[in-house]
Amino acid sequence: MSAPTDQTGAGKPAATSIRYVDAINRALGDALAADPRVFCYGQDIGGTFGGAFKVTKGLVERFPGRVLNSPISEDAQTGVAIGAALGGMRPVIEYQFADFASIAFNQLVNQAATYFWRTGKSIPITMRFPAGGTPGGGPFHCQMPEAWLSHHPGLVVVAPATVADAYDMLRDAIACDDPVMFIEHKLLYSHLKAEFDPARAEHLPLGAAAVRREGHDVTLISYSGMVHECLRAAEQLAQEHGIECEVLDLRCLRPLDTGAILSSVAKTGRVLVATESWPFGGTAAEVLAVISTDGFRLLDAPPRRLCAQDTPIPYQVDLFHAHHPDAARIAAAALELAEF
Amino acid sequence: MSAPTDQTGAGKPAATSIRYVDAINRALGDALAADPRVFCYGQDIGGTFGGAFKVTKGLVERFPGRVLNSPISEDAQTGVAIGAALGGMRPVIEYQFADFASIAFNQLVNQAATYFWRTGKSIPITMRFPAGGTPGGGPFHCQMPEAWLSHHPGLVVVAPATVADAYDMLRDAIACDDPVMFIEHKLLYSHLKAEFDPARAEHLPLGAAAVRREGHDVTLISYSGMVHECLRAAEQLAQEHGIECEVLDLRCLRPLDTGAILSSVAKTGRVLVATESWPFGGTAAEVLAVISTDGFRLLDAPPRRLCAQDTPIPYQVDLFHAHHPDAARIAAAALELAEF
Amino acid sequence: MSAPTNAARLELLRWMIRARALDERLVALYRSGGIRGGSVFTGRGQEAFSAAGAMQLREGDVFAPLIRDSAGRLVRGETPLDALRVCLGRKTGVMRGRDGNIHRGTLGNGVIPMISHLGSTIGVIAGLLLAKRLRGERDAIGLVSIGDGGMNTGAFHEGFNVLAVERLPVVLMVADNQLSYSTFSDRSYACTNLVERAAGYGVRGHTCDGTDADACLTTLSEAAARVRAGEGPQMVVAKLLRLAGHGEHDDAAYVTADMKARFGDNVPLFEQKLQADGVLSADALATLWSTARADVATALTQAQSEPEPLPAQEDWSAYSVRDLLSFKAVL
Amino acid sequence: MSAPTNAARLELLRWMIRARALDERLVALYRSGGIRGGSVFTGRGQEAFSAAGAMQLREGDVFAPLIRDSAGRLVRGETPLDALRVCLGRKTGVMRGRDGNIHRGTLGNGVIPMISHLGSTIGVIAGLLLAKRLRGERDAIGLVSIGDGGMNTGAFHEGFNVLAVERLPVVLMVADNQLSYSTFSDRSYACTNLVERAAGYGVRGHTCDGTDADACLTTLSEAAARVRAGEGPQMVVAKLLRLAGHGEHDDAAYVTADMKARFGDNVPLFEQKLQADGVLSADALATLWSTARADVATALTQAQSEPEPLPAQEDWSAYSVRDLLSFKAVL
Ligand SMILES: Cc1ncc(C[n+]2csc(CCOP(=O)(O)OP(=O)(O)O)c2C)c(N)n1
Ligand SMILES: Cc1ncc(C[n+]2csc(CCOP(=O)(O)OP(=O)(O)O)c2C)c(N)n1
Ligand SMILES: [Mg+2]
Ligand SMILES: [Mg+2]
């Protein structure tokens, strides 16, 4: 993926332009200010440093004692979140990279996810996953975690693609009584900018997908960073081939907004799911499973997915760029679909 | 699931009848005898006890020093396997229950799975997962792990459903240069019996699916314990409705034998995937993704999946049985498909 | 370390007997096929240590028990009826049939229900105690159990280190019962006594003979007093023996005669000691047992008369917020 | 503990200088945009401890280095060219562009290439040493690194406990550089010195001043000797300071003046000591530096002239067995 520009039209001229990372920082600050139950816990967030991506910069100064450094202990960080939620708090945990949250797999899928069903007590925790590929990050600093967070029942998984969503969905996540896995794309942190009006009108509910561009020829389904590649591909296909793609940003990955998915497929009859994650059992596979079981008769062509290469994520920059779909590859696949 | 009887016809009258658990025990013993590089490491397997399910019973006496007890340390057990493989051995690890292998998630998907691609050195380890539901097991002793083992590239995932496969596939797994995740169904351990002829003819390759029953009306795809429910459902549909189901046992879940899947769908045009695992992003979702993208034109009806309820696995026995598909529910769904 | 009062000793014995009576009834039920599916797990041999720990707690304190804490759970206010409902999978039980046996518990009693994965409750109690600190509830303390096997999990290490770094008010009870399922201690750890791990976390360690109820009471009350005095986490290691299989499905044939010879049964030992001290008459002891058994019997009749959950009426959703399509933060 | 020979001291200094020269060149390369993507991670401030550890190893021994082991890697036989090829993502590098920077390594040099997840190599070296024992290769020992931050991972605990339970021949080097990224030690652990963790695993602990190269040599050679004598795992904790950001993207503004004042730079300190001892002339020192820098410069020119991998030619498969549809065990 290359550095995206926000084409989602979420900003309005009157507002100031801020980055995706600023939106998250602001959401955290506003949540801390609004609710004494909120606190932050994570590696390197509790000092002047402000975290590996400076997402929490300035918060410890404003909210002393409520932004805490943890040891390198992702399992315990997650246990602490669950326990604090049981104790009436609304913890927000930062994993330093989504890749390291693999250490917390058990606490997430077996403790956080099962708690409500087993005991009737809900667990309002927000877990923040700085995720996704950046050039030179290599196999262990580029992963997307949504597939392994979504299989076990009990976790809500969301992945904002826009500046406004980064703010709104984080506020929603913190307000939600269930455990919310909040996936932030590291490439968007400073590359995505948009005008942001804190006093703007209503936003979408947490579980809703958003149509980022309307079209009637092919539906492009994606989320997180890949939404911007889809928008570029759509623009290119419109310009060069007069093909109108509908770009659907899933926003919430578990549960899926199956209504929005099927509505768009009903309109276009052709669908491509693009993710930067691995194909096998990924969110793209689940979306295809939903479409093929519940939207079979809506389809005019076989649905397709475009995912990452089925290997670890390479360090070297050219290999890295070849590892996941980009606008050009999405456009090529969508063109084939449109011409099917 | 109720106690299965082997209807796969894998046994021959001349041979002696053994249980699924005996086949695994025998494969371990034969592998230890045949190859000095093989050793076993796991909780409670190194004493007279023989492991929580007695799978390794008698082996420590026959192979002293090569069947070792580990502490309750699934992460380290996995690290030990990887290191021992680097040191030229072919370790076979027992996790006490598949559910506890969640602790080893990171070592499996980030260390074992990436090693070959990163370094060119393959990692011949066999990890044994006693898996699947048994009445009264509850949320943490009944899980199937294939979904979270399959998403990251690099692990081979297999799940034998028959006595012969339990033996053959374990021997294949130990011989395989890549990390093999060997999923054993706990309900089959002592309930599944079949005649087993050690001198029998050729067996299927590790990666191949097996047609357990031929049919031309509906394809039932499954693996592990659920194969036996599908066979029962097929029998019932044949008897009661004259509907002939083809029962495909996937055997190897990663990679999938897509050729066998598509061949069967080509024959029937109707497909139901049945698993006792959760639906979201599970192996059933991946199979549906493969069928809908690569076999779309073969389908005469929307493909379907029948998976577990989307909650943790209940303790109480009636709830437990209602949590996952059984022959009756599979038959009902297949009938709908056949009549579509 | 002051000697425990006779009142405290008698209270402890009462809890031990109640726990033993409950466990023995569960075992009988299992053997007679009265438990559908699954196994039964008991705390026999570990009653004194478990109950003496829980006796240090007050209203508002929290306890994270494990497999062998049938006694401590009772002390915290769980009734035999509560326990039996869960083991029998009753809809009326606190787990509503969804989870069973030792996974039972409710924050209403100040008990964190365990998941099976050993070690993973340690981080949870750290979070719960941190929450209390952040909310200004300064009086509450925590008590958390682990075994000689569970001490070697990564989750234990990460969680206990957080408790230590945050200096949270907690007593860690390590029940070193010589066995991790069938595995002997020499395959679980290489130090002489697990209390040697305390210093590495920067916490104070204590040891006691887990078969000696008086020693358990004395040691655990000192540890709890130090926690309440603001000295931070305390680790108490008791040596004892699991006087049962891992669960009732396990005949524990691997336990050696030597191991059995080295460890007595804490319940009769304490009964004899209290009688020798003139604190307990034979009649009073008999009454303790008959009351405990009668209570369990009544509870069992009650639990068995209650309904199991019906699959068709089950609410099959793992989420408390049912409709995220209409969910937004109210800002 | 016998004092190191002057020959060993000079050899150590040579490795330290070679490592520093390599690291400095990498930093310059990063600053001038010569690294495509990613960051650069160095071992500045930790050369003595790292190299002194690796100097204890012989052919057949194994080393599991971490982030700060640029010096130890060189001792094990990695050349500056090897390092630069990987950092520059060259196809010719041992990682073929697939992985980068500190994840480099090859068993050919007796080095286990790390994954990023801290602590997870400890279990791996346990397995490797166990394999050697099972194969009857009784002479080999292992050396494994961890930091003050990584000590608190569950993976470390589980892996090190296995090393101890199996009494495998290994030296654990704990580089306590006061920092886990930006986090100060008091948020990582609550004991006074991490060596207090040794006893809990049943292993012997050693400490040394990591800024004093002689002390590193003496302490690590004693530890290695004990391992070779069959005494089982040894833990050596060095106190020192990371003299750089976590990586070169990090300006390390959080490091306090007090911390900087407390720890010297091991390289000039050792240079001065050797000169004061009359073991090293000013000329010889200058030659050490110029040779080291020239070697790095030559290696850099070479590496830069070599090809990067081409995506179209990449073999995109994570499996060594390509066709499981025809794979069967040959029995
Ligand atoms: C992480 C994990 N791995 C494996 C198990 C299976 N298991 C249940 S109890 C047990 C032994 C526990 O030993 P210990 O911690 O000493 O407790 P004890 O049973 O002796 O009270 C094991 C291995 C588990 N519960 N959790
Ligand atoms: C499990 C895990 N969590 C988080 C990280 C991110 N991370 C990389 S280095 C580092 C700090 C390491 O500190 P320490 O172990 O003291 O080593 P040092 O960098 O000081 O040498 C962190 C948090 C990681 N690599 N692994
Ligand atoms: Mg024990
Ligand atoms: Mg450090």
Side-chain angles (χ1 to χ4, degrees):
Chain A
M1 280 180 338
S2 43
T5 49
D6 194 320
Q7 302 179 16
T8 58
K12 291 278 165 309
T16 36
S17 181
I18 66 169
R19 299 170 305 163
Y20 183 90
V21 66
D22 302 323
I24 299 173
N25 178 277
R26 191 185 289 203
L28 289 172
D30 290 353
L32 282 159
D35 187 344
R37 297 172 303 174
V38 176
F39 74 100
C40 300
Y41 186 59
Q43 292 163 33
D44 298 294
I45 69 169
T48 53
F49 184 57
F53 300 98
K54 314 282 175 184
V55 178
T56 55
K57 191 84 188 162
L59 295 180
V60 69
E61 292 82 358
R62 283 173 62 199
F63 306 98
R66 293 173 64 197
V67 183
L68 304 172
N69 267 349
S70 84
I72 308 182
S73 302
E74 287 81 5
D75 185 293
Q77 279 180 254
T78 314
V80 163
I82 296 163
L86 292 178
M89 303 295 285
R90 297 205 162 238
V92 181
I93 304 300
E94 176 171 310
Y95 298 117
Q96 193 153 83
F97 284 78
D99 313 60
F100 301 132
S102 55
I103 308 290
F105 178 66
N106 178 61
Q107 290 281 19
L108 289 171
V109 305
N110 282 317
Q111 185 117 257
T114 67
Y115 217 95
F116 171 71
W117 198 77
R118 293 170 61 239
T119 70
K121 174 91 188 64
S122 60
I123 301 288
I125 62 179
T126 303
M127 316 304 278
R128 296 184 33 242
F129 298 76
T134 57
F140 309 114
H141 290 76
C142 289
Q143 295 177 29
M144 294 288 291
E146 71 284 2
W148 55 264
L149 291 169
S150 299
H151 176 63
H152 291 68
L155 306 178
V156 173
V157 183
V158 304
T162 70
V163 169
D165 273 358
Y167 181 90
D168 293 331
M169 293 175 79
L170 184 49
R171 295 300 303 272
D172 292 345
I174 295 171
C176 182
D177 277 346
D178 285 316
V180 181
M181 310 294 112
F182 189 83
I183 301 177
E184 306 170 2
H185 201 295
K186 300 194 297 290
L187 200 71
L188 303 186
Y189 273 150
S190 51
H191 286 127
L192 186 70
K193 277 192 182 177
E195 281 158 7
F196 180 73
D197 178 5
R200 75 210 175 287
E202 279 292 286
H203 67 274
L204 284 175
L206 185 57
V211 175
R212 297 296 180 197
R213 177 183 176 120
E214 304 234 12
H216 45 76
D217 293 324
V218 176
T219 298
L220 304 179
I221 299 181
S222 65
Y223 52 91
S224 192
M226 204 47 69
V227 169
H228 303 279
E229 299 297 320
C230 287
L231 287 167
R232 279 213 191 86
E235 185 60 31
Q236 187 189 324
L237 288 172
Q239 301 272 342
E240 295 174 13
H241 301 272
I243 291 168
E244 291 303 331
C245 292
E246 178 138 310
V247 176
L248 187 70
D249 172 2
L250 291 174
R251 298 174 79 251
C252 184
L253 309 181
R254 174 73 139 126
L256 284 168
D257 184 350
T258 51
I261 294 170
L262 295 174
S263 297
S264 184
V265 176
K267 203 166 144 187
T268 62
R270 292 172 155 77
V271 62
L272 172 70
V273 190
T275 76
E276 73 171 276
S277 307
W278 294 299
F280 203 105
T283 300
E286 178 62 26
V287 170
L288 289 181
V290 167
I291 293 173
S292 65
T293 55
D294 299 343
F296 187 70
R297 276 153 302 185
L298 308 174
L299 289 165
D300 297 323
R304 287 191 60 172
R305 60 179 157 175
L306 212 55
C307 302
Q309 297 280 7
D310 204 22
T311 69
I313 302 159
Y315 165 77
Q316 195 272 345
V317 177
D318 302 319
L319 294 185
F320 168 76
H321 287 300
H323 188 263
H324 51 261
D326 59 9
R329 272 168 289 211
I330 293 168
L335 188 59
E336 280 177 34
L337 259 182
E339 289 170 350
F340 184 86
Chain B
M1 279 181 338
S2 45
T5 50
D6 195 319
Q7 302 179 17
T8 58
K12 291 276 166 309
T16 36
S17 181
I18 66 169
R19 299 170 305 163
Y20 182 91
V21 66
D22 302 322
I24 299 173
N25 178 277
R26 191 184 289 203
L28 289 172
D30 290 353
L32 281 159
D35 187 343
R37 298 172 302 174
V38 176
F39 74 100
C40 300
Y41 186 59
Q43 292 162 35
D44 298 295
I45 69 169
T48 53
F49 184 57
F53 300 98
K54 314 281 176 186
V55 178
T56 55
K57 191 83 189 162
L59 295 180
V60 70
E61 292 82 357
R62 283 174 62 200
F63 306 98
R66 293 173 64 198
V67 184
L68 305 172
N69 267 349
S70 84
I72 308 182
S73 301
E74 288 81 5
D75 186 292
Q77 279 180 254
T78 314
V80 163
I82 297 163
L86 292 178
M89 303 295 285
R90 296 204 163 239
V92 181
I93 305 299
E94 176 172 310
Y95 297 117
Q96 193 152 83
F97 284 78
D99 313 60
F100 300 131
S102 55
I103 307 290
F105 179 65
N106 179 61
Q107 291 280 18
L108 289 171
V109 305
N110 282 318
Q111 185 118 255
T114 67
Y115 216 95
F116 171 71
W117 197 77
R118 292 170 62 240
T119 70
K121 173 92 189 63
S122 60
I123 302 288
I125 61 179
T126 303
M127 316 304 279
R128 296 183 34 241
F129 297 77
T134 58
F140 309 114
H141 291 75
C142 289
Q143 295 177 30
M144 294 288 290
E146 70 285 1
W148 56 264
L149 291 169
S150 299
H151 176 63
H152 291 68
L155 306 177
V156 173
V157 183
V158 305
T162 71
V163 170
D165 273 357
Y167 181 90
D168 294 331
M169 294 175 79
L170 185 49
R171 295 299 304 270
D172 291 345
I174 294 170
C176 181
D177 278 345
D178 285 317
V180 181
M181 310 295 110
F182 189 83
I183 301 177
E184 306 169 2
H185 202 294
K186 299 195 298 289
L187 201 70
L188 303 186
Y189 274 149
S190 52
H191 286 127
L192 187 71
K193 277 191 181 179
E195 281 156 6
F196 179 73
D197 178 5
R200 74 208 174 288
E202 279 292 288
H203 67 275
L204 283 175
L206 185 58
V211 175
R212 297 296 179 196
R213 177 183 176 121
E214 304 234 13
H216 44 76
D217 294 324
V218 177
T219 299
L220 303 180
I221 299 181
S222 65
Y223 51 92
S224 192
M226 204 47 68
V227 169
H228 304 279
E229 298 297 320
C230 287
L231 286 167
R232 278 212 192 86
E235 185 60 30
Q236 187 189 326
L237 288 171
Q239 302 272 340
E240 296 175 12
H241 300 273
I243 292 168
E244 291 303 332
C245 292
E246 177 138 311
V247 176
L248 187 71
D249 172 1
L250 290 174
R251 297 175 80 251
C252 183
L253 309 182
R254 173 72 140 126
L256 284 169
D257 184 351
T258 51
I261 294 170
L262 296 174
S263 299
S264 185
V265 175
K267 202 165 144 189
T268 62
R270 291 173 157 77
V271 62
L272 171 71
V273 189
T275 76
E276 74 172 276
S277 307
W278 294 299
F280 203 105
T283 300
E286 178 62 26
V287 171
L288 289 182
V290 167
I291 294 173
S292 65
T293 55
D294 301 343
F296 187 71
R297 276 153 301 186
L298 308 173
L299 288 164
D300 297 324
R304 286 190 61 170
R305 60 180 158 174
L306 212 54
C307 301
Q309 298 281 4
D310 204 21
T311 69
I313 302 159
Y315 164 78
Q316 196 272 344
V317 177
D318 302 319
L319 293 184
F320 168 76
H321 287 301
H323 188 262
H324 51 260
D326 59 9
R329 273 167 290 210
I330 293 168
L335 187 60
E336 279 179 35
L337 257 182
E339 290 170 348
F340 184 86
Chain C
M1 300 205 287
S2 54
T5 64
N6 284 331
R9 298 170 80 200
L10 283 172
E11 190 197 334
L12 174 56
L13 179 68
R14 196 173 66 88
W15 290 123
M16 291 165 63
I17 288 174
R18 289 176 70 83
R20 182 65 62 93
L22 173 61
D23 277 352
E24 284 178 351
R25 194 68 195 82
L26 275 169
V27 170
L29 209 53
Y30 175 82
R31 299 222 172 120
S32 65
I35 303 281
R36 295 179 67 196
S39 189
V40 147
F41 303 84
T42 69
R44 284 170 294 160
Q46 309 191 189
E47 291 90 347
F49 190 56
S50 176
M55 280 172 63
Q56 309 310 319
L57 300 183
R58 303 178 188 156
E59 172 107 35
D61 292 340
V62 285
F63 181 31
L66 278 187
I67 323 183
R68 312 294 163 204
D69 283 311
S70 47
R73 292 168 188 269
L74 292 175
V75 177
R76 278 268 80 189
E78 181 188 87
T79 64
L81 180 57
D82 293 335
L84 287 162
R85 281 171 165 160
V86 173
C87 294
L88 293 172
R90 263 26 190 201
K91 176 97 185 134
T92 47
V94 73
M95 312 310 277
R96 296 165 296 166
R98 294 177 173 186
D99 207 341
N101 50 59
I102 45 172
H103 302 99
R104 66 187 184 264
T106 164
L107 279 177
N109 290 342
V111 168
I112 304 179
M114 63 182 273
I115 67 166
S116 295
H117 300 70
L118 292 168
S120 38
T121 334
I122 315 277
V124 174
I125 203 163
L128 189 36
L129 293 171
L130 187 63
K132 288 182 184 283
R133 174 181 289 170
L134 289 166
R135 296 163 67 95
E137 300 167 20
R138 295 249 155 218
D139 285 346
I141 73 166
L143 177 71
V144 56
S145 278
I146 197 77
D148 47 291
M151 282 286 274
N152 307 303
T153 59
F156 169 80
H157 179 62
E158 294 195 1
F160 195 60
N161 188 55
V162 166
L163 282 163
V165 165
E166 300 289 349
R167 270 185 85 81
L168 287 164
V170 75
V171 178
L172 174 76
M173 297 173 69
V174 184
D176 184 347
N177 62 7
Q178 319 302 310
L179 294 164
S180 168
Y181 207 148
S182 76
T183 299
F184 298 168
S185 298
D186 65 334
R187 297 293 301 171
S188 285
Y189 59 84
C191 56
T192 316
N193 187 309
L194 284 168
V195 77
E196 293 167 69
R197 295 208 176 154
Y201 295 101
V203 314
R204 182 186 292 266
H206 311 253
T207 54
C208 66
D209 174 354
T211 67
D212 177 347
D214 278 328
C216 293
L217 212 44
T218 307
T219 312
L220 284 159
S221 84
E222 184 196 333
R226 287 187 182 273
V227 169
R228 292 198 197 276
E231 293 184 27
Q234 308 286 311
M235 178 189 292
V236 183
V237 179
K239 294 259 188 187
L240 32 65
L241 185 67
R242 195 188 71 205
L243 296 180
H246 167 56
E248 285 311 301
H249 58 281
D250 169 24
D251 66 9
Y254 47 80
V255 180
T256 63
D258 171 65
M259 283 165 87
K260 288 182 191 152
R262 270 167 43 228
F263 295 92
D265 181 342
N266 67 135
V267 179
L269 281 174
F270 198 36
E271 289 171 351
Q272 286 149 25
K273 202 167 170 202
L274 288 173
Q275 288 190 281
D277 289 354
V279 180
L280 179 72
S281 69
D283 272 6
L285 177 59
T287 308
L288 281 179
W289 275 104
S290 56
T291 313
R293 290 197 178 112
D295 287 356
V296 172
T298 312
L300 181 58
T301 311
Q302 171 68 26
Q304 282 172 329
S305 76
E306 293 175 348
E308 294 183 75
L310 294 176
Q313 287 169 17
E314 185 62 25
D315 181 11
W316 297 106
S317 168
Y319 296 88
S320 77
V321 179
R322 290 305 156 90
D323 182 15
L324 283 181
L325 285 177
S326 60
F327 180 80
K328 285 185 214 183
V330 181
L331 302 182
Chain D
M1 300 205 288
S2 54
T5 65
N6 284 332
R9 298 169 82 199
L10 283 171
E11 189 197 335
L12 175 56
L13 180 67
R14 196 173 67 88
W15 290 122
M16 291 165 64
I17 287 173
R18 288 177 71 83
R20 182 65 62 93
L22 173 61
D23 276 352
E24 284 178 351
R25 194 68 196 81
L26 275 169
V27 170
L29 208 55
Y30 175 81
R31 299 222 173 118
S32 65
I35 303 280
R36 296 179 66 196
S39 189
V40 146
F41 302 84
T42 71
R44 284 169 295 161
Q46 309 190 188
E47 290 89 349
F49 190 55
S50 176
M55 280 171 64
Q56 309 310 320
L57 300 184
R58 303 177 187 156
E59 172 106 36
D61 291 340
V62 285
F63 180 32
L66 278 187
I67 323 184
R68 312 293 163 205
D69 283 311
S70 47
R73 292 167 188 270
L74 292 175
V75 177
R76 278 268 82 188
E78 181 188 87
T79 64
L81 180 58
D82 292 335
L84 287 162
R85 280 171 165 160
V86 174
C87 294
L88 293 172
R90 268 14 193 208
K91 175 98 186 134
T92 47
V94 74
M95 311 311 276
R96 297 165 294 165
R98 293 177 173 186
D99 207 341
N101 51 58
I102 46 172
H103 303 97
R104 66 188 185 263
T106 163
L107 277 177
N109 290 341
V111 167
I112 304 179
M114 63 183 273
I115 67 165
S116 295
H117 300 69
L118 292 168
S120 38
T121 335
I122 315 277
V124 174
I125 203 163
L128 190 36
L129 293 171
L130 187 63
K132 288 183 184 284
R133 173 181 291 171
L134 289 167
R135 295 164 67 95
E137 300 167 20
R138 294 247 155 219
D139 285 346
I141 73 166
L143 176 71
V144 56
S145 278
I146 196 77
D148 47 290
M151 282 285 275
N152 307 303
T153 60
F156 169 81
H157 179 63
E158 294 195 0
F160 195 61
N161 188 54
V162 166
L163 283 163
V165 165
E166 300 289 349
R167 269 184 85 84
L168 288 164
V170 76
V171 177
L172 174 77
M173 296 173 68
V174 184
D176 184 347
N177 62 7
Q178 318 303 310
L179 294 164
S180 168
Y181 206 150
S182 77
T183 300
F184 298 167
S185 297
D186 65 333
R187 296 294 301 172
S188 284
Y189 60 82
C191 56
T192 316
N193 186 309
L194 284 167
V195 77
E196 292 168 68
R197 295 207 176 155
Y201 295 102
V203 314
R204 184 185 290 266
H206 311 253
T207 55
C208 66
D209 175 353
T211 67
D212 177 347
D214 279 330
C216 293
L217 213 43
T218 307
T219 312
L220 284 159
S221 83
E222 183 195 334
R226 287 187 182 275
V227 170
R228 292 198 197 276
E231 292 185 27
Q234 307 286 310
M235 178 188 294
V236 183
V237 179
K239 293 259 188 187
L240 33 64
L241 185 65
R242 196 188 71 206
L243 296 181
H246 167 54
E248 284 313 299
H249 58 281
D250 169 23
D251 66 10
Y254 46 80
V255 181
T256 63
D258 171 65
M259 284 166 84
K260 289 182 192 153
R262 270 167 43 228
F263 296 92
D265 180 342
N266 68 133
V267 179
L269 281 173
F270 198 35
E271 289 171 352
Q272 287 149 25
K273 203 167 168 199
L274 289 173
Q275 288 189 283
D277 289 356
V279 179
L280 179 71
S281 69
D283 272 5
L285 177 60
T287 307
L288 282 178
W289 275 104
S290 57
T291 313
R293 290 198 178 111
D295 287 355
V296 173
T298 312
L300 181 58
T301 311
Q302 172 67 25
Q304 282 171 330
S305 76
E306 292 175 350
E308 294 183 75
L310 294 175
Q313 287 171 15
E314 185 62 26
D315 181 12
W316 297 105
S317 169
Y319 296 89
S320 78
V321 179
R322 291 307 157 89
D323 183 14
L324 284 181
L325 285 177
S326 60
F327 179 82
K328 285 184 214 183
V330 181
L331 302 183

